[in-house]
Structure formats: structure tokens, C-alpha cells
Amino acid sequence: MQEITKITPTAFEIMDEIKTRWSPRVFDDVPLSISEVKQLLEAGRWASSSYNQQPWRIIYGIKGDKVYDQILDCLIPFNQDWAKNAQALLVTAYKKTNFDGDPYFHAPHDLGLFMGNLVIQANHNGIAAHHMGGIDQEKAHKTFEFTDDFEVATAVALGHYGGNPDRLPEELQEQEVDPKRERMAINEFAFNGNFKSK
Ligand SMILES: Cc1cc2nc3c(=O)[nH]c(=O)nc-3n(C[C@H](O)[C@H](O)[C@H](O)COP(=O)(O)O)c2cc1C
């Protein structure tokens, strides 16, 4: 099996949990237990949120259970093709209104903080997470009986790093094993002064 190594060219030294994280489309066959998934949710649980409103809601399925199959069924076909390799799947959602009934503008931000915690804890545990915007939000909303004040945001595939890239559709194999990772330079998105548009 081909060992996959990614190169992360950082301008400053950063924590290994951040540096070694990447989003695979194949995962090890080692199953994830409910308690391993709950430990990741625990990390998310301690994220900060606006007025501590904790707008995040998560549906989780473990490979072999009904919820896993239901989540897989909500993904767009492109994601279904590889996410079936995951050992657990999540649907993430957030509350659209805040404590006084007004729009909760920061809810997607707060869900992002939750997921940031979850992903870094996962990486610490050797577990990879691959986020997916490619989910039929309406279908997931209906399938999991979310109420109208919640918006489905993403799905997430989880599993230990590893797994054979041969399992992927051919067109995805090259990207999976490509060591190169790229990001904007810090001075392209952070300004010690006014915003600069390119
Ligand atoms: C909100 C969000 C939605 C994404 N949607 C998809 C998706 O539907 N399918 C997919 O294969 N990857 C998806 N990705 C993964 C990104 O393409 C990936 O994170 C990005 O290319 C950076 O790669 P890295 O995570 O390996 O550093 C998504 C990532 C995020 C954060």
C-alpha cells in the first residue's frame, strides 16, 4: 500500500496537530467506536460561542449503523463515492436564531469553532476529518427531523489515517497522494492596517 506523506510549508513553527492535518478520501479499516467519536464531540463541546449559545447540533453515524447509511444517502454522488470509506459520518447544523429570536449571525462562526476543536482533537488521536459542503441540506434537514430554526451546514467523514488510495475513483487518486499543500501567504489575508484588495 502506498504511504501518503503531505508537505506543509509553514512560515512559522506550529503545533503538529495543525501541521499534519489534511483531508483524506480514504481511511484505515480500523473501526471508530462510539466513545472515540464522543471524545471528539467533547472537544467540540468546549469551543467558545457567542453568549455561550452553543448553536451547533451534530448527527453522528458509525459505519454499520442506520444513521451512517442515512448520512451517506444525503451526500452528493461525488462525495458518496469516497465518503463510504469513512468509519463515521457526521451532519453538522446550527441554530439560526439567537436567544432573543433575532438572526444569529455568528452561529456558522461558532459551529466552525466547534469543528476546529473537533478536528484538532481528532488529529491528535490519529483520526482524520474531511468536511463536505456537498450534502443535500434539505434532504438531511428532513431525514433527521431538524426543526425550522436550524440550518444543515456540512457533513464530515471521519476515520484513522491510512487506507489504500486504489479504493478511490481513478480521477481522485492523484490528488490523494500528491504531497503538495498550498495556502495564501499571511500578508495576503492579514493586514496591520487597512484591508488591501488584490
Ligand atoms: C466547509 C467545507 C466544505 C468542503 N466540501 C468538500 C466537499 O464537498 N467534498 C470534498 O471532497 N472536499 C470538501 N472540502 C475539503 C476541502 O476541499 C479541503 O479542506 C481543502 O482543499 C484543503 O485541503 P486540506 O483540508 O487537506 O488542507 C470541504 C472543506 C470545507 C472546510
Side-chain angles (χ1 to χ4, degrees):
M1 193 182 71
Q2 192 172 354
E3 184 81 20
I4 303 174
T5 314
K6 299 282 179 183
I7 296 165
T8 304
T10 57
F12 295 88
E13 205 38 65
I14 56 174
M15 285 159 60
D16 263 358
E17 284 82 351
I18 297 174
K19 193 170 173 174
T20 61
R21 183 212 60 79
W22 63 284
S23 302
R25 293 193 174 97
V26 275
F27 301 89
D28 200 284
D29 282 334
V30 175
L32 284 180
S33 65
I34 290 188
S35 59
E36 279 177 296
V37 172
K38 283 199 174 165
Q39 188 193 4
L40 305 185
L41 297 172
E42 180 73 26
R45 185 179 167 221
W46 292 101
S48 58
S49 62
S50 172
Y51 291 96
N52 199 19
Q53 290 175 92
Q54 304 160 67
W56 45 76
R57 297 294 184 274
I58 311 293
I59 307 292
Y60 63 91
I62 312 283
K63 193 167 217 153
D65 74 15
K66 181 180 166 202
V67 180
Y68 180 100
D69 292 340
Q70 286 175 306
I71 297 175
L72 197 59
D73 200 43
C74 289
L75 302 180
I76 60 166
F78 170 81
N79 285 331
Q80 279 175 350
D81 275 351
W82 63 263
K84 61 180 182 224
N85 297 317
Q87 296 298 331
L89 291 171
L90 312 179
V91 169
T92 80
Y94 60 86
K95 194 164 184 296
K96 292 191 289 184
T97 50
N98 66 23
F99 50 82
D100 54 13
D102 285 338
Y104 185 173
F105 293 115
H106 297 111
H109 174 278
D110 296 347
L111 173 61
L113 291 178
F114 177 99
M115 289 312 302
N117 272 15
L118 183 148
V119 163
I120 298 309
Q121 180 68 51
N123 217 57
H124 181 76
N125 298 356
I127 297 168
H130 195 137
H131 308 275
M132 290 168 274
I135 173 174
D136 182 336
Q137 272 100 348
E138 248 174 67
K139 186 172 178 178
H141 195 279
K142 203 161 164 216
T143 301
F144 296 109
E145 300 182 355
F146 281 102
T147 48
D148 287 347
D149 50 341
F150 283 86
E151 184 93 4
V152 169
T154 62
V156 186
L158 295 170
H160 285 277
Y161 286 99
N164 199 332
D166 291 0
R167 278 190 200 167
L168 290 173
E170 224 160 83
E171 64 278 10
L172 291 179
Q173 290 183 18
E174 200 180 317
Q175 194 187 338
E176 192 74 2
V177 299
D178 184 356
K180 205 159 96 204
R181 303 184 71 218
E182 283 177 336
R183 289 297 189 268
M184 288 192 282
I186 295 172
N187 63 10
E188 288 179 89
F189 65 79
F191 313 105
N192 184 219
N194 291 347
F195 169 76
K196 288 186 197 70
S197 134
K198 274 217 257 185

